[in-house]
Amino acid sequence: MGSALLPDLGTEIFIPVCAVIGIAFALFQWVLVSQVKLSPVASPGSRDSPNKNGYNDYLIEEEEGLNDHNVVMKCAEIQNAISEGATSFLFTEYKYVGIFMVAFAALIFVFLGSVEGFSTKPQPCSYDPKRTCKPALATAAFSTISFLLGAVTSVVSGFLGMKIATYANARTTLEARKGVGKAFIVAFRSGAVMGFLLAANGLVVLFITINVFKLYYGDDWSGLFESITGYGLGGSSMALFGRVGGGIYTKAADVGADLVGKVERNIPEDDPRNPAVIADNVGDNVGDIAGMGSDLFGSYAEASCAALVVASISSFGIDHDYTGMLYPLLISSMGILVCLITTLFATDFFEIKLVSEIEPALKKQLIISTVLMTVGIAIITFISVPATFTIFNFGTQKVVHNWQLFLCVAVGLWAGLIIGFVTEYYTSNAYSPVQDVADSCRTGAATNVIFGLALGYKSVIIPIFAIAVSIYVSFSFAAMYGVAVAALGMLSTIATGLAIDAYGPISDNAGGIAEMAGMSHRIRERTDALDAAGNTTAAIGKGFAIGSAALVSLALFGAFVSRASISTVDVLTPKVFIGLIVGAMLPYWFSAMTMKSVGSAALKMVEEVRRQFNTIPGLMEGTAKPDYATCVKISTDASIKEMIPPGALVMLTPLIVGIFFGVETLSGVLAGSLVSGVQIAISASNTGGAWDNAKKYIEAGASEHARTLGPKGSDPHKAAVIGDTIGDPLKDTSGPSLNILIKLMAVESLVFAPFFATHGGLLFKLL
């Protein structure tokens, strides 16, 4: 088999050092952002400052109130209101989620402990009965601890992301007065803070957990890494509630604000007279930022767990090859270093001066990180993995070469880039698909909806082929371990992916603050340009999340099948087929729940906004202030109440199926939900993104074609607003939550696999 070039000590130093570098870089970016003051003080500096992207030089000096004290104070006040709203919502959400977390942790302990009747005696190992392993009770206890660790890390990731975004939004608005380049850098740097903190925290907590658990488990590596799977389950279960709760919150406010404000009252987006405007801006932070942060952290944790479980019963685990075993963590460590260099290209090496340069700069981030990461993966693979090794493949050991493992990771990485670019093509208003959707608004909302749905369905084709090719290549080379590391390849540039994803909501908030603070239309044009690019990057981020979820889910499925001792999953047996068809239905059921939740919450919001417009004298004239707090409360109450049924559906399905129908039916459910969930998620996200950008295309009026459809308030524009409003719950609630559904059911099944294999299938045992 041979040994790797990188010694175990090198691995033990390299991983934490990379995590510390990631955290330090995030803090450095935060310090740079904080130099933009939210107090009415002129920036000391000259026109010819040597630091071209620093905060002392003015890219565009404007006469319109560069140091207008009132505007700065107003921005600070609005930012404070958004930050308070977001913090209070997340604390309310975490209170409910905390109760669930403790209850579910107890469930994990009881179910896994009962596998051997709560015995404390060592047991024969599952994969090698000649050896003795730690008792099932130990796995139950350590799985519970790792579940709680994953859940807390996920919650912290989401909360930190929201805090950073609300800290940066008004600063982006103020920098927009100096030029679009300055505003871009603040928004992007803030996104980078979130990206690097999340990637580094996820890595360092997992690394420490493995090393602490190792003190107890010693040589029993299969038991050690089986208990680590709880980390992925904790991460994803919190992400589910964050995504669903945040998604319902943001879209209830958005739909309510748009329908009454834009369509009925004909006032601009984010107009301070609109009572739902603060709730709408709060929603961007709790849904798109906190939800997305927890979601991608969950994907990362699960991909790592799936790879580690399979590796622990392969030659890495059997021969106790510590460096080879931690290969998934080495990929993520290299990813942090690569993303650090990539970020400097956007903030320091190149300067953005024109609106047209924003989107290419963000696309370059994806390309640069992918190219550099390919080199990084090659280096890591050839120094940390032996020339040949074996991988567990459903009962047999498959011989794999290190160059094959490199190709597995690389194919996942490049599939991610392809999905990103296809998503961008279908959702950016620079290309014909979105322009065609905008053009269809000439004949009203109905044709707009038809064109938008068709675009979403069509946008599924290439991403599915990219996922299919990466699965085939990685599985052929390295079985299920290959699929798991392909998912990690796609997620290896998570810090850059999150930076360009968080940039979108920050820019959106910046535009809202500019409108509410009564700033000049030229500043609003700049923030709108940042926001339009941000819409596309958000769609790219969702594409990455869905693509990686498909690979992660399949890898977890493979680990579950191995752990439950199923040799083959035969679709022609009735037990499996009924699972398959029910599993394929679950994403529809889940989407129905989340869409209806947004609809009913939006209904209350619309009624409240109408009530305020009709009963508060002077509101339309701008002489009276709306009651923002009531709208914030409607969104908070609705989302907390409505997130429980979809969450329960996802969390209870594997338990009910596993206990009553057994592991074979459960394997069918997992396969069915994966196959249908990916398709719906991609089409829902892209349809919603296309409708949103079709509306922005008409509003911006940047081309001759767009000007024939506008201006704001025209019939085609109203049709576009209706399309955008329908697309809101698709792209920000149902679509992004579905990728958590397919991952979470798979990781939950893996954690409970020993219990299902021992005690499951009660109904079939009775028959």
Side-chain angles (χ1 to χ4, degrees):
M1 291 281 166
S3 63
L5 295 172
L6 184 68
D8 289 354
L9 181 64
T11 306
E12 286 186 353
I13 294 168
F14 182 70
I15 294 172
V17 163
C18 287
V20 169
I21 288 171
I23 292 168
F25 184 70
L27 294 175
F28 173 64
Q29 296 294 322
W30 181 76
V31 168
L32 291 177
V33 171
S34 65
Q35 287 178 10
V36 181
K37 297 292 177 230
L38 269 187
S39 52
V41 180
S43 302
S46 63
R47 290 165 185 268
D48 42 29
S49 163
N51 177 9
K52 71 172 179 191
N53 274 337
Y55 288 84
N56 295 339
D57 59 322
Y58 295 148
L59 289 174
I60 300 169
E61 193 105 49
E62 282 196 359
E63 65 283 351
E64 37 207 18
L66 191 71
N67 297 315
D68 184 346
H69 290 217
N70 291 345
V71 167
V72 180
M73 296 306 286
K74 197 92 198 289
C75 286
E77 189 187 309
I78 297 161
Q79 182 217 28
N80 203 27
I82 294 170
S83 182
E84 278 176 14
T87 307
S88 96
F89 167 72
L90 286 180
F91 275 131
T92 311
E93 181 182 80
Y94 294 156
K95 204 161 57 186
Y96 287 91
V97 167
I99 297 164
F100 155 80
M101 195 163 81
V102 172
F104 204 77
L107 197 69
I108 292 173
F109 182 73
V110 170
F111 275 31
L112 294 184
S114 69
V115 170
E116 300 289 350
F118 297 99
S119 159
T120 52
K121 295 194 196 100
Q123 301 292 330
C125 298
S126 325
Y127 301 101
D128 184 3
K130 296 188 202 79
R131 291 175 54 236
T132 54
C133 285
K134 299 292 183 198
L137 194 63
T139 305
F142 283 103
S143 293
T144 307
I145 293 166
S146 59
F147 167 77
L148 292 170
L149 277 172
V152 170
T153 311
S154 180
V155 162
V156 169
S157 300
F159 188 76
L160 283 177
M162 180 280 295
K163 275 293 181 201
I164 292 152
T166 53
Y167 182 80
N169 50 18
R171 287 171 167 80
T172 305
T173 311
L174 293 176
E175 286 297 277
R177 298 175 307 167
K178 302 172 189 173
V180 76
K182 283 304 200 58
F184 171 80
I185 287 172
V186 173
F188 189 80
R189 279 200 163 125
S190 312
V193 177
M194 178 185 176
F196 282 92
L197 273 182
L198 189 136
N201 281 346
L203 178 66
V204 80
V205 172
L206 185 56
F207 179 73
I208 291 168
T209 308
I210 289 169
N211 282 299
V212 170
F213 283 16
K214 201 158 146 267
L215 299 175
Y216 170 78
Y217 275 98
D219 285 347
D220 177 14
W221 280 22
S222 64
L224 162 64
F225 290 103
E226 193 177 306
S227 62
I228 290 287
T229 53
Y231 185 69
L233 176 60
S236 253
S237 51
M238 295 304 106
L240 176 73
F241 291 109
R243 255 299 188 203
V244 174
I248 293 167
Y249 184 107
T250 178
K251 291 304 112 180
D254 199 356
V255 171
D258 281 0
L259 281 181
V260 184
K262 284 195 212 163
V263 178
E264 291 179 11
R265 295 280 169 169
N266 215 5
I267 58 176
E269 188 161 2
D270 298 312
D271 191 294
R273 293 171 292 178
N274 194 328
V277 71
I278 293 284
D280 185 6
N281 281 289
V282 168
D284 290 335
N285 295 294
V286 296
D288 295 349
I289 298 264
M292 187 62 164
S294 295
D295 180 2
L296 279 176
F297 164 74
S299 280
Y300 161 75
E302 285 161 341
S304 303
C305 291
L308 291 167
V309 166
V310 179
S312 69
I313 49 176
S314 306
S315 64
F316 295 145
I318 295 161
D319 303 340
H320 295 97
D321 174 1
Y322 183 76
T323 300
M325 192 67 225
L326 292 191
Y327 177 68
L329 277 73
L330 289 168
I331 295 174
S332 305
S333 306
M334 179 55 85
I336 290 176
L337 300 182
V338 164
C339 291
L340 194 153
I341 298 163
T342 309
T343 303
L344 297 177
F345 277 93
T347 56
D348 294 85
F349 299 159
F350 296 110
E351 188 178 354
I352 287 183
K353 286 189 173 174
L354 302 170
V355 165
S356 58
E357 293 171 0
I358 299 169
E359 215 164 292
L362 294 168
K363 277 165 69 178
K364 277 181 198 144
Q365 285 286 297
L366 291 175
I367 298 166
I368 293 165
S369 61
T370 304
V371 170
L372 292 177
M373 194 62 205
T374 308
V375 178
I377 293 165
I379 295 167
I380 286 291
T381 307
F382 292 113
I383 66 166
S384 67
V385 177
T388 55
F389 51 94
T390 63
I391 290 293
F392 183 85
N393 181 24
F394 301 121
T396 60
Q397 293 284 352
K398 178 184 172 80
V399 177
V400 182
H401 298 277
N402 55 10
W403 61 266
Q404 291 175 314
L405 193 60
F406 159 68
L407 288 177
C408 291
V409 187
V411 80
L413 177 68
W414 284 89
L417 185 70
I418 290 165
I419 292 170
F421 277 154
V422 171
T423 307
E424 192 233 4
Y425 173 72
Y426 280 105
T427 56
S428 166
N429 54 26
Y431 303 106
S432 61
V434 170
Q435 291 173 11
D436 289 347
V437 172
D439 194 60
S440 70
C441 295
R442 288 177 194 280
T443 47
T447 42
N448 180 26
V449 170
I450 294 164
F451 269 70
L453 288 172
L455 177 146
Y457 298 147
K458 196 175 172 189
S459 70
V460 172
I461 302 166
I462 299 173
I464 291 297
F465 277 122
I467 292 169
V469 168
S470 54
I471 289 170
Y472 184 79
V473 170
S474 53
F475 193 91
S476 303
F477 282 151
M480 276 301 174
Y481 186 71
V483 178
V485 292
L488 271 170
M490 203 178 275
L491 291 164
S492 59
T493 53
I494 187 172
T496 296
L498 262 171
I500 58 177
D501 201 69
Y503 153 88
I506 292 169
S507 305
D508 193 356
N509 260 207
I513 292 171
E515 185 74 50
M516 284 186 271
M519 292 168 116
S520 129
H521 73 94
R522 289 176 66 187
I523 291 169
R524 181 70 216 224
E525 277 168 17
R526 286 174 187 164
T527 56
D528 277 353
L530 292 172
D531 184 20
N535 254 350
T536 305
T537 57
I540 292 172
K542 283 165 194 150
F544 262 98
I546 295 162
S548 61
L551 293 176
V552 168
S553 173
L554 182 61
L556 290 165
F557 177 67
F560 160 72
V561 169
S562 305
R563 186 63 195 88
S565 311
I566 306 169
S567 51
T568 54
V569 178
D570 186 353
V571 181
L572 295 177
T573 56
K575 277 185 188 177
V576 175
F577 193 81
I578 58 166
L580 200 63
I581 202 158
V582 170
M585 172 274 296
L586 286 173
Y588 290 92
W589 189 1
F590 179 83
S591 297
M593 283 178 159
T594 50
M595 296 279 284
K596 191 153 184 291
S597 299
V598 171
S600 54
L603 202 65
K604 290 180 191 146
M605 187 67 77
V606 167
E607 284 167 358
E608 172 59 23
V609 175
R610 277 181 185 153
R611 183 194 68 75
Q612 292 199 28
F613 273 125
N614 293 332
T615 58
I616 299 178
L619 184 56
M620 269 307 277
E621 292 73 36
T623 54
K625 274 186 85 172
D627 176 9
Y628 297 128
T630 307
C631 291
V632 171
K633 189 175 185 319
I634 288 172
S635 261
T636 303
D637 294 350
S639 54
I640 297 294
K641 189 172 118 233
E642 301 281 357
M643 75 179 181
I644 295 164
L649 173 72
V650 177
M651 299 300 288
L652 295 177
T653 299
L655 293 176
I656 292 166
V657 174
I659 292 167
F660 292 107
F661 298 94
V663 286
E664 286 169 319
T665 307
L666 181 55
S667 63
V669 168
L670 296 179
S673 65
L674 165 62
V675 169
S676 83
V678 173
Q679 330 280 340
I680 305 171
I682 295 173
S683 68
S685 291
N686 290 351
T687 294
W691 275 328
D692 194 349
N693 271 348
K695 177 202 71 178
K696 284 196 163 61
Y697 174 74
I698 295 172
E699 288 176 349
S703 69
E704 191 56 47
H705 175 238
R707 284 192 285 277
T708 62
L709 298 168
K712 287 185 184 179
S714 66
D715 285 344
H717 178 249
K718 282 184 176 167
V721 169
I722 291 168
D724 174 34
T725 311
I726 298 167
D728 275 338
L730 284 171
K731 80 175 194 309
D732 289 323
T733 312
S734 298
S737 306
L738 279 171
N739 60 58
I740 303 177
L741 171 135
I742 58 179
K743 293 181 307 193
L744 184 52
M745 284 180 24
V747 73
E748 191 181 334
S749 304
L750 171 60
V751 169
F752 287 104
F755 177 79
F756 296 151
T758 314
H759 302 301
L762 294 178
L763 278 182
F764 291 132
K765 284 175 184 169
L766 295 172
L767 294 173

